[in-house]
Amino acid sequence: MDARPARQDYIATLDLLRLAAALAVVFFHYFFRGAAAGDLAGAGFADIAPIAIYGYLGVNLFFLISGFVIAWSAESRGWEQFAIARFARLHPGFALCMTISFAAVVSFGAPLFSTSLAQYAANLSMVAPVFGQPFMDGVYWSIFLELIFYGWVTLAMATGAFRNRKLQLIFVWLAISTLNEVFIGSRAIRLLFITEFGPLFAAGLLVHHLHAHGRSRPALLLLAAAFLISSCTITVTQQWMLEAYGAAVPTVNLVAANVVMHGALIAAVLLRGHISSSSLTLALGGLTYPLYLLHQNVGYLVINAATPLAGRWVAALACVALMLFVSSAIWHYFERPAQRMLRIRLGRAVEAGRWRLRRTTAQPAE
């Protein structure tokens, strides 16, 4: 464990909430989706599948947390520093975990999974569908949406709108989300403006705004609107779940879960003073990203290989422990140093570019 003191600008309760979200997704994949999608051999875990099906909502909780964290990061940086920090935060871990998944599928995936060098190369970009290739692992879809969200925030920061017109931008975003999800139904608009999950990102932004700037009627009204809209859009996945897996969470339960998730984010912020940030909480929060990226396809292969030897329960629980261990090692020994190095190098490149630009524009015209 890193003995250095933890950073003081972290909220430890958010690290723990992020871990809970990641474990919920792992629970969903191992104890519901694996068998429902035919990726796990045998009977699966029918006895707890009705509970495990709720785990996919951990992604919704991730989006709520992301809205808060991104607002926090954006308020303390210029847009160039923000973009560098986001790229350095996401890409090194993604590249390593995706490479591990690729190697596992190439070595042990057949006949369950298959891949190619073209798919691997496209996935290095983090936006594989843009190059006509599928994601190396199905969980990457949410990272793609995060990148779109980061892009819009970066643009808003570069134009000054994030600082001066944040609430107005959120109002417009919520209006677009409502119009598209209720009336228009455009898949292009849904992707470009993340209209299915936009209200969750917006709610996170608004919780941070209230946390950082105090209560105001416009922000509270927007937060209420974001919650109500997300309670409607949270049902969009229902039909897809029914078609893909033959089961879905009832609407009433989805709305109740949405209340719990929003309440959990607000509680994590309000209770921030009760759990101090430490090396342990940083590690628990840090391992969630590689855990999320790595656990699905590799986990299925591990569980399938171990089940004949140890039984399905031991195989699944041992796989969870293995994924936590490997993810912690990736965060500690690879992600942290790689992120630090990348931030420094990209920061220097940006400064060098600025210097060249200033030198060029300062030269008198002949």
Side-chain angles (χ1 to χ4, degrees):
M1 186 68 65
D2 195 340
R4 291 173 296 178
R7 280 178 51 179
Q8 298 303 308
D9 60 344
Y10 274 77
I11 295 180
T13 47
L14 287 182
D15 284 328
L16 299 179
L17 193 60
R18 189 182 292 115
L19 177 63
L23 289 174
V25 176
V26 173
F27 190 61
F28 168 75
H29 284 137
Y30 289 178
F31 297 100
F32 174 79
R33 185 200 174 276
D39 290 333
L40 285 183
F45 302 88
D47 40 357
I48 63 168
I51 299 173
I53 192 174
Y54 288 85
Y56 80 92
L57 295 171
V59 178
N60 295 47
L61 182 54
F62 270 129
F63 290 153
L64 273 168
I65 298 169
S66 181
F68 184 95
V69 172
I70 291 308
W72 193 339
S73 178
E75 288 208 348
S76 61
R77 293 182 171 99
W79 72 267
E80 300 99 327
Q81 290 74 29
F82 173 82
I84 288 171
R86 287 297 93 199
F87 181 79
R89 172 69 180 89
L90 291 187
H91 195 268
F94 182 92
L96 177 60
C97 291
M98 191 272 294
T99 299
I100 294 173
S101 294
F102 172 75
V105 170
V106 167
S107 302
F108 310 106
L112 189 61
F113 303 118
S114 61
T115 186
S116 66
L117 286 174
Q119 184 185 11
Y120 175 77
N123 273 264
L124 282 174
S125 70
M126 302 183 73
V127 290
V130 173
F131 299 97
Q133 292 289 335
F135 292 122
M136 186 66 64
D137 192 298
V139 300
Y140 296 174
W141 69 269
S142 63
I143 307 301
F144 188 74
L145 297 189
E146 290 273 0
L147 291 173
I148 296 173
F149 175 52
Y150 298 167
W152 283 115
V153 172
T154 302
L155 179 61
M157 292 176 67
T159 59
F162 190 85
R163 179 180 297 275
N164 302 316
R165 296 286 185 270
K166 185 197 305 176
L167 296 184
Q168 292 91 327
L169 287 177
I170 292 175
F171 174 83
V172 172
W173 192 10
L174 292 176
I176 293 172
S177 297
T178 303
L179 288 172
N180 190 60
E181 295 302 324
V182 176
F183 300 105
I184 302 173
S186 166
R187 295 180 63 183
I189 294 176
R190 174 176 286 176
L191 179 62
L192 181 61
F193 295 101
I194 331 174
T195 57
E196 181 181 351
F197 300 103
L200 296 171
F201 287 113
L205 291 170
L206 289 162
V207 171
H208 175 268
H209 184 85
L210 291 164
H211 163 70
H213 304 288
R215 296 181 183 178
S216 68
R217 181 174 295 179
L220 287 170
L221 288 174
L222 284 172
L223 179 58
F227 167 76
L228 291 174
I229 298 168
S230 68
S231 294
C232 296
T233 60
I234 201 172
T235 63
V236 172
T237 313
Q238 268 183 325
Q239 187 60 40
W240 180 85
M241 291 278 287
L242 284 170
E243 294 173 358
Y245 309 129
V249 178
T251 300
V252 173
N253 293 7
L254 283 175
V255 175
N258 200 37
V259 173
V260 171
M261 288 186 290
H262 281 75
L265 175 62
I266 294 171
V269 176
L270 293 177
L271 298 175
R272 62 192 180 279
H274 294 270
I275 300 179
S276 300
S277 182
S278 65
S279 296
L280 176 61
T281 59
L282 286 176
L284 292 176
L287 68 82
T288 58
Y289 183 51
L291 174 64
Y292 182 79
L293 293 172
L294 196 60
H295 78 275
Q296 185 175 212
N297 288 353
V298 174
Y300 290 152
L301 295 176
V302 170
I303 294 172
N304 284 336
T307 294
L309 303 174
R312 60 191 177 101
W313 280 101
V314 172
L317 294 175
C319 186
V320 173
L322 175 65
M323 290 299 158
L324 287 169
F325 174 78
V326 172
S327 300
S328 180
I330 289 173
W331 174 78
H332 186 86
Y333 295 107
F334 176 78
E335 271 199 292
R336 297 187 80 185
Q339 289 169 7
R340 195 177 303 117
M341 179 186 68
L342 197 55
R343 282 195 299 266
I344 291 172
R345 291 189 175 183
L346 291 176
R348 287 175 177 171
V350 169
E351 287 301 318
R354 285 177 173 173
W355 181 82
R356 293 191 189 97
L357 180 62
R358 287 195 297 266
R359 184 177 180 183
T360 300
T361 55
Q363 291 177 350
E366 295 182 0

